[in-house]
Amino acid sequence: MRRRILQATLLAVAVTTVVLGLPLGFSALKLVQDLTGADLSTRAQQIATLLDEQVANQRPIDLNAVRLAVPEGARLVVRTQAHDYVYGPDPGEDPLVQSVPMVQSGTVTIAAPSAPVRTQQLQVAGLVLMLVVLSAGTGMIVASVTARRLADPLRHVASRAARLGAGDFRPDPQRHEVPELDRVADALDASGAALSQLVQRERELVGDVSHQLRSRLTALHLRLEALAAVDDADVSEEAGAALEQAERLSAVLDDLLAAATAARARDAEPLDVTSLLNQVADEWREPLRNQGRTLRLKIGDELLARATPARLREAIGVLLDNALRHGEGPVTLTARHGGGTVLIEVSDAGSGVPDELVPHVFERGFSGHGSTGVGLALARALVEADGGRLELSQARPAMFEVFLRVARADDVLGLLWKPEPTPR
C-alpha cells in the first residue's frame, strides 16, 4: 500500500514537472532572446537618432560619436544613399541582427554575436532545471511522508483486524486522526466487544446446558438402576434397556461437548510457551520499572502447549496489566508443567481482590476499581477459545492461573518436521 501511494504521488509530481517545466524552460529561453533583441533595437534607435542629428546639421557621419552605444563584440553598419559605414569586428556566424530606419534615408544595423546570448540561455536553462529538480525532490519528500502517514495507519488497522480474527477482542485505543480510518477502528472495537460477548454467552450456554443435562441424566440413571433391581423380570429388562440408552445419551453428550471445545480451539497450535512468555516479559518490564516495580520470572524450559500465540499473548498481557494497575510490589510470572497441563501463574504482592468481588471478577462490565471491567472477561474468553481455563486461584494477594493443554507428541513432531512437497 505504501509503495502504491508513493508511486501515485510521484507520478503526479512527474506529470506536473513535465507539464510546467517544459513551457517554463521554453519561455525562459525565449525571454532571454527577446530581451537581447530589444536591447539591440534600443541601441540601434539611439544611434539612428544621433546620426540623423549629424546629417541634419550637414556634418559628415562620424561613427566614433556613437561607439559607446555599440555592444562589445558587435558590428555597426550604417547604410546611406551615398556610402556605407562599418564599425566593429565581424560578429561571426548566426549573429543577432536588429535594424532601424533613419529619418535621413538610411538604415542602422547592429549585428551582435550569438555566443553570449546562448551562454545566458544555458544559464537560465540550468536555473530552470535546478528549480525543476528541487520541486521534484520536494515532491518526493512530501510523497514519502504522505505515503508513510497513510500506509502506517492502514497497516495498523489491518493488523487490528487480523488480531480480531485470531480472537483478540481487546479494544485498541490508538487513533490516527484520519476520519475514515478512525471510523474503521471504532467499528473494529465495536465488533470485538460484540464477539467477546458472543463467545462469553456461548461458553456460559454450553456450561449451563452441560450442567443441566448431566444433572438430569444422573437422576435418570439412579431411577433406572432402582427399577432394574426390582423382582419383576419384565420391568427389570425394560429398565436395563432404558439404562443402556441413557448411558449412550451420556456418551453422546460427552462427545458433543468435546467437539464444541475442539471447534473453539481449532486455531490452536503447538506453541513454545517458554519463548512467548519471555517475549511478553520483555514488553512489560519497562512499564513496571517506570512505577518502581519489578517483574520476576520463574519459567520452566521446553514448555509446549496448544494455544494461539496472539490470544495467549493478549491474555497474559491483560493479567500483567491488571497487576500493574491494581496490584503492588513485584509481579511474578510463573510457568511450569502441572497435572497434565501447562500452568501459568501471574501474581503480585498487593492487597488482592475483595471478597465481595471474587465471584464477579470475570464478569464483563463489573469492576471495583473504576476500570471498564472488560479486561479479565476478555482474557478468560481468549484462553477458553483455545480450550484452556483461566481462574482466580488466590484472592489475597491476587494470583491468576492459566491452564493450557499440553501439546501431543504428534503435534510436536509435526511442528519440528514438515515433509517436503512431492514433485509433480
Side-chain angles (χ1 to χ4, degrees):
M1 176 59 71
R2 178 179 177 182
R3 185 177 63 181
R4 293 181 180 178
I5 296 174
L6 186 60
Q7 289 177 347
T9 308
L10 290 179
L11 179 60
V13 170
V15 171
T16 304
T17 300
V18 171
V19 170
L20 295 180
L22 291 180
L24 179 61
F26 177 78
S27 299
L29 297 179
K30 184 65 175 175
L31 179 61
V32 171
Q33 186 172 354
D34 291 344
L35 290 177
T36 304
D39 179 66
L40 292 178
S41 179
T42 300
R43 291 173 179 269
Q45 188 63 50
Q46 293 174 350
I47 293 172
T49 301
L50 293 175
L51 296 179
D52 281 334
E53 290 179 358
Q54 292 179 1
V55 174
N57 295 327
Q58 297 182 354
R59 290 183 298 173
I61 292 178
D62 183 10
L63 297 184
N64 290 326
V66 296
R67 66 178 185 274
L68 295 178
V70 180
E72 183 179 357
R75 170 173 287 185
L76 172 64
V77 178
V78 179
R79 298 182 183 276
T80 63
Q81 295 179 352
H83 190 69
D84 292 343
Y85 301 90
V86 178
Y87 174 80
D90 183 6
E93 298 181 357
D94 193 21
L96 298 177
V97 179
Q98 288 292 332
S99 298
V100 297
M102 296 174 58
V103 177
Q104 303 296 331
S105 300
T107 58
V108 174
T109 302
I110 298 180
S114 59
V117 178
R118 300 293 180 258
T119 301
Q120 291 181 3
Q121 288 179 326
L122 289 176
Q123 292 174 348
V124 172
L127 178 61
V128 172
L129 180 60
M130 184 177 65
L131 292 176
V132 169
V133 171
L134 180 61
S135 300
T138 304
M140 291 179 63
I141 295 174
V142 173
S144 179
V145 173
T146 303
R148 185 183 301 110
R149 187 175 183 272
L150 292 178
D152 289 348
L154 287 173
R155 280 198 296 266
H156 181 266
V157 171
S159 175
R160 174 71 182 96
R163 295 199 306 271
L164 181 62
D168 176 10
F169 305 132
R170 298 181 67 188
D172 190 343
Q174 184 174 354
R175 294 297 182 267
H176 306 282
E177 299 181 358
V178 179
E180 292 78 5
L181 293 180
D182 289 346
R183 285 198 295 270
V184 173
D186 293 338
L188 289 176
D189 285 348
S191 299
L195 289 174
S196 172
Q197 293 176 356
L198 181 62
V199 170
Q200 188 171 1
R201 285 197 298 267
E202 178 190 359
R203 176 183 60 82
E204 293 173 352
L205 176 61
V206 171
D208 293 341
V209 170
S210 173
H211 176 72
Q212 294 295 330
L213 288 178
R214 288 184 184 279
S215 299
R216 299 300 182 269
L217 284 174
T218 300
L220 181 61
H221 271 89
L222 294 176
R223 291 292 185 91
L224 292 175
E225 287 175 354
L227 288 175
V230 300
D231 295 334
D232 191 330
D234 293 336
V235 173
S236 177
E237 182 180 357
E238 291 297 329
L243 183 60
E244 182 181 354
Q245 294 296 325
E247 291 175 349
R248 292 181 180 178
L249 179 59
S250 179
V252 169
L253 176 60
D254 292 337
D255 292 341
L256 290 175
L257 291 176
T261 301
R264 289 200 305 269
R266 65 181 181 273
D267 294 331
E269 60 187 33
L271 176 65
D272 186 353
V273 177
T274 302
S275 176
L276 185 139
L277 292 182
N278 282 313
Q279 295 174 11
V280 173
D282 292 338
E283 297 174 1
W284 283 92
R285 279 195 178 92
E286 188 63 27
L288 287 166
R289 188 180 297 114
N290 292 337
Q291 293 192 6
R293 301 170 64 184
T294 58
L295 178 61
R296 299 175 179 174
L297 298 182
K298 298 179 181 179
I299 302 176
D301 296 331
E302 299 181 356
L303 296 176
L304 296 176
R306 287 190 61 82
T308 305
R311 291 173 182 169
L312 182 58
R313 179 186 296 273
E314 292 301 326
I316 301 302
V318 169
L319 299 180
L320 291 174
D321 181 67
N322 186 73
L324 174 65
R325 293 174 180 270
H326 309 303
E328 298 176 1
V331 178
T332 302
L333 176 60
T334 304
R336 65 180 187 277
H337 287 288
T341 63
V342 173
L343 175 60
I344 303 173
E345 296 176 346
V346 178
S347 62
D348 61 80
S351 57
V353 182
D355 293 338
E356 63 273 12
L357 297 184
V358 171
H360 311 285
V361 70
F362 292 108
E363 292 182 7
R364 184 180 181 86
F366 189 89
S367 174
H369 298 86
S371 61
T372 60
V374 174
L376 290 176
L378 285 177
R380 170 172 273 188
L382 291 173
V383 173
E384 292 184 348
D386 285 335
R389 289 188 297 115
L390 171 60
E391 303 292 344
L392 175 64
S393 61
Q394 180 177 300
R396 297 177 183 169
M399 176 184 290
F400 292 90
E401 292 182 338
V402 177
F403 299 87
L404 299 176
R405 295 182 300 161
V406 176
R408 301 190 304 270
D410 54 348
D411 293 331
V412 177
L413 290 176
L415 178 65
L416 298 177
W417 177 81
K418 295 182 179 179
E420 296 182 356
T422 304
R424 296 181 179 179

